[in-house]
Amino acid sequence: MTAKYAIILAAGQGTRMKSKLYKVLHKVCGKTMVEHVLTQIEKNNMDEVVTIVGHGAQKVEETLGDRTEYALQKEQLGTGHAVLQAEKLLGGKKGITLITCGDTPLFTTQTFNELFEYHQQKGAVATVLTATAENPFGYGRIIRNDLGIVEKIVEQKDATKEEVAIKEINTGVYCFDNEALFSALHKINNNNVQGEYYLTDVMEIFKKQHEIVAAYKMKDFSESMGVNDRVALAAATKLMRHRINEKHMRDGVTLIDPETTYIDADVKIGADTIIEPGVSLRGSTVIGEDCLIGAHSDICDSVIHNGVTITSSTLEGAEMQDESNIGPYSHLRPAAQIGKKVHIGNFVEVKKAEIGENTKVGHLTYVGDATLGKDINVGCGCVFVNYDGKNKHHTVVGDHSFVGSASNMIAPLHIADHAYIAAGSTITNDVSTHDMAIARGRQVNKKGYYDRYPCAETSKKDVKN
């Protein structure tokens, strides 16, 4: 079997992005552009992948890790010079080398595979991936002879008036015979407007050697979109979002309004789940089957099991078990673990807490650094007070307990099974099973005191009016 290699060009800084972040590290649907490219390449079962790094080399390597090897381009002297930096890793090896750019996040595995197959079918030494562009400005043009055979590739700045009018463009993706590629790279020069070593110049070298140079025209030009500024980044994101949303819908997920639904590339969603408008699903979020994700919910890096209802709420690093529900306007922060059939009502915040099966936390409550058992009722306006100004402390509430409204649990605290906290209490000591804890001042009614306060004067005026 023929060996397959890949080279990803990711050395450019991307000045037109006007950003401190290196171009290929800008994200499209939750994943950096260079990660998108590498992911699609990996699916073609490559024998070796080399990423050419330059500006931001360390950050790129931190992002991609050991999924690829790296070659450093210290000076940016053109695409031909960039590819030549991989010679120490790939030079002298037999096989086919795919070359693509790290700022083209929309290419698919299928397109790369079709290019490989076409290259082998034609017995070519080089094959360029082309497309027809209605507005080809900025792209290299494919120059063919009368028989349709590729003669050369001309960059925009070096093109004649006639060549500029050509709409078949170079997408920047190629297949090469690996040994022939590195041999030809040593023969190119930088005699052009840019003063750079163009990778495309190897095509003319191959033609002079009477080698076969082929061109495979892809069907969908939009796949080839390169991102050089924020406008293109937004356009690429929109196309990627459409692709992601369509895949989920075809897999059995209902998106009420795909145009206003934002789903990152790595999100997984089960069949028969319904996603309402304005929802954002980010990071490594996993959602099960038969869920309802209500309008304008924002869920990041969370695990949602089957049959869960989320109503206009925010989740980050949280987990909700089967048939639990939350919202509206509640917030699950990192390490929130919501058990089966748990109800989290409106305006509730949960952080680093485990809430057991069938427990209800109705509304206006903060649960932080706590373990709540099953079948507990937590009343309105309760606070699990976990911070003493220096350290965080933990509260445990046992099964079948009742926490009355407007209560404060001052951690560290242990409330046993079947315990009762009276409404309005501030609890500082442990509570034993079957006990009721009440911690509030005794009520005293002062006869006639209403008339001493300003409200009495106001009420008299209201009566006269």
Side-chain angles (χ1 to χ4, degrees):
M1 185 177 292
T2 304
K4 294 193 295 185
Y5 313 108
I7 297 174
I8 302 173
L9 305 181
Q13 186 172 7
T15 55
R16 279 183 281 173
M17 297 295 288
K18 292 182 170 58
S19 174
K20 295 181 288 295
L21 185 66
Y22 300 104
K23 180 169 69 170
V24 298
L25 297 182
H26 281 266
K27 291 186 176 182
V28 171
C29 295
K31 183 183 288 188
T32 65
M33 291 193 285
V34 72
E35 284 181 282
H36 278 293
V37 174
L38 178 56
T39 297
Q40 297 304 313
I41 286 173
E42 286 173 328
K43 292 177 182 178
N44 272 299
N45 300 315
M46 311 304 292
D47 292 280
E48 200 167 348
V49 179
V50 178
T51 301
I52 309 299
V53 293
H55 291 290
Q58 183 178 346
K59 291 292 185 182
V60 174
E61 291 180 27
E62 287 173 1
T63 299
L64 300 181
D66 60 3
R67 295 166 61 188
T68 171
E69 297 180 272
Y70 301 93
L72 178 65
Q73 186 187 22
K74 294 180 181 179
E75 295 181 89
Q76 275 63 62
L77 302 178
T79 52
H81 177 259
V83 173
L84 195 57
Q85 308 313 300
E87 187 173 31
K88 290 182 180 179
L89 295 168
L90 298 180
K93 295 184 178 181
K94 294 184 181 298
I96 301 172
T97 297
L98 172 75
I99 297 177
T100 189
C101 297
D103 62 357
T104 52
L106 298 173
F107 278 116
T108 63
T109 300
Q110 181 178 345
T111 296
F112 289 145
N113 188 52
E114 288 172 357
L115 178 62
F116 270 118
E117 290 181 353
Y118 187 85
H119 175 80
Q120 290 177 295
Q121 288 171 5
K122 293 296 182 181
V125 69
T127 303
V128 58
L129 182 65
T130 75
T132 299
E134 287 305 311
N135 178 16
F137 181 81
Y139 290 92
R141 305 302 201 277
I142 304 300
I143 311 302
R144 297 178 183 266
N145 63 20
D146 294 338
L147 298 176
I149 298 170
V150 176
E151 289 291 330
K152 60 181 178 177
I153 302 171
V154 179
E155 298 300 320
Q156 169 86 31
K157 293 181 180 180
D158 299 305
T160 66
K161 184 178 180 180
E162 292 75 18
E163 290 168 340
V164 166
I166 294 171
K167 291 188 175 182
E168 186 178 8
I169 57 95
N170 173 18
T171 66
V173 179
Y174 315 86
C175 272
F176 290 100
D177 175 273
N178 188 66
E179 292 176 298
L181 168 65
F182 287 107
S183 175
L185 283 173
H186 287 285
K187 299 173 184 176
I188 64 176
N189 59 57
N190 62 347
N191 297 330
N192 51 62
V193 173
Q194 293 287 87
E196 294 183 349
Y197 295 92
Y198 293 150
L199 174 59
T200 50
D201 285 352
V202 302
M203 303 302 183
E204 287 192 67
I205 292 172
F206 292 143
K207 294 297 291 184
K208 289 176 182 177
Q209 295 172 349
H210 305 291
E211 301 278 6
I212 297 173
V213 176
Y216 175 69
K217 186 183 290 189
M218 61 190 294
K219 300 179 182 70
D220 184 3
F221 166 72
S222 65
E223 265 193 49
S224 67
M225 178 184 290
V227 174
N228 291 312
D229 57 26
R230 307 291 181 129
V231 175
L233 183 67
T237 299
K238 186 174 183 179
L239 287 167
M240 181 67 78
R241 187 170 75 244
H242 180 271
R243 182 188 296 175
I244 291 168
N245 288 358
E246 182 175 321
K247 180 182 183 302
H248 285 299
M249 289 187 286
R250 293 194 183 283
D251 287 343
V253 177
T254 296
L255 304 185
I256 301 299
D257 184 5
E259 292 302 313
T260 61
T261 303
Y262 305 87
I263 304 175
D264 278 358
D266 290 334
V267 170
K268 296 178 176 59
I269 309 174
D272 292 315
T273 283
I274 298 172
I275 312 291
E276 292 185 343
V279 169
S280 293
L281 305 177
R282 300 183 288 119
S284 57
T285 292
V286 177
I287 297 176
E289 298 181 351
D290 303 301
C291 295
L292 174 61
I293 312 300
H296 307 295
S297 293
D298 184 4
I299 304 174
C300 181
D301 295 327
S302 297
V303 177
I304 312 302
H305 293 259
N306 299 327
V308 172
T309 298
I310 296 172
T311 306
S312 302
S313 293
T314 298
L315 284 69
E316 48 182 328
E319 183 170 5
M320 295 184 69
Q321 297 289 340
D322 293 352
E323 299 180 62
S324 57
N325 65 83
I326 185 172
Y329 312 120
S330 287
H331 187 184
L332 299 186
R333 290 169 57 194
Q337 296 283 330
I338 309 303
K340 291 181 178 180
K341 299 183 179 181
V342 166
H343 168 64
I344 304 293
N346 54 299
F347 299 103
V348 174
E349 181 176 345
V350 181
K351 188 273 298 184
K352 199 177 180 181
E354 182 179 345
I355 300 180
E357 186 173 349
N358 287 319
T359 287
K360 296 176 176 59
V361 184
H363 30 225
L364 301 164
T365 289
Y366 171 69
V367 183
D369 292 275
T371 301
L372 278 62
K374 62 184 181 181
D375 295 301
I376 296 169
N377 186 86
V378 178
C380 177
C382 293
V383 178
F384 286 73
V385 184
N386 57 338
Y387 185 51
D388 63 8
K390 183 179 180 181
N391 298 306
K392 298 289 182 71
H393 301 281
H394 198 81
T395 293
V396 175
V397 181
D399 299 343
H400 307 287
S401 292
F402 184 96
V403 179
S405 296
S407 294
N408 298 309
M409 276 57 66
I410 312 295
L413 190 65
H414 188 278
I415 299 170
D417 295 349
H418 300 278
Y420 194 103
I421 307 299
S425 295
T426 295
I427 305 300
T428 57
N429 298 316
D430 292 350
V431 182
S432 298
T433 186
H434 292 280
D435 284 0
M436 182 186 80
I438 181 168
R440 61 190 183 214
R442 186 180 297 276
Q443 180 175 329
V444 177
N445 294 345
K446 299 287 187 178
K447 190 173 180 63
Y449 262 55
Y450 174 87
D451 296 327
R452 298 186 181 188
Y453 292 99
C455 61
E457 292 297 321
T458 302
S459 67
K460 289 176 183 178
K461 291 178 183 178
D462 290 341
V463 170
K464 290 179 181 178
N465 292 333

